[in-house]
Amino acid sequence: HGMAMRTQEKIVCECGHEGLLHCKENDAPFSRFYEDYHLSGFKGESVSINDNARRPDDLLAAMKAECPACGAVGKVSYA
């Protein structure tokens, strides 16, 4: 069985609150490609991508990240 590769990127709200965007990627040979994204430090929706299409540039927007510190939605960017 293949190992899922896990990565994380720091994200930050305009107000300065920081969190993480986690990605779990299935890179096992002969299996379907997928990436699962979820947030920590922010409320938001998980997003799964299950084809080889490039991940959307507005991935963070699609996740509707909500900042627990200031309440803003969609004001996060990669730190």
Side-chain angles (χ1 to χ4, degrees):
H1 61 281
M3 282 288 291
M5 193 172 80
R6 293 169 188 271
T7 56
Q8 59 189 38
E9 287 184 75
K10 196 150 84 166
I11 55 174
V12 62
C13 179
E14 287 178 359
C15 79
H17 178 78
E18 293 184 357
L20 291 171
L21 171 67
H22 298 273
C23 173
K24 186 175 75 180
E25 185 179 316
N26 178 22
D27 54 3
F30 311 117
S31 68
R32 225 175 64 182
F33 171 90
Y34 72 83
E35 291 179 333
D36 285 325
Y37 293 92
H38 70 274
L39 300 166
S40 61
F42 291 91
K43 289 185 236 170
E45 299 176 16
S46 295
V47 171
S48 292
I49 299 171
N50 54 16
D51 58 37
N52 281 306
R54 204 166 56 84
R55 81 180 187 190
D57 291 332
D58 57 353
L59 175 69
L60 289 176
M63 298 181 83
K64 299 180 177 64
E66 180 184 333
C67 180
C70 72
V73 176
K75 299 288 187 185
V76 296
S77 57
Y78 297 103

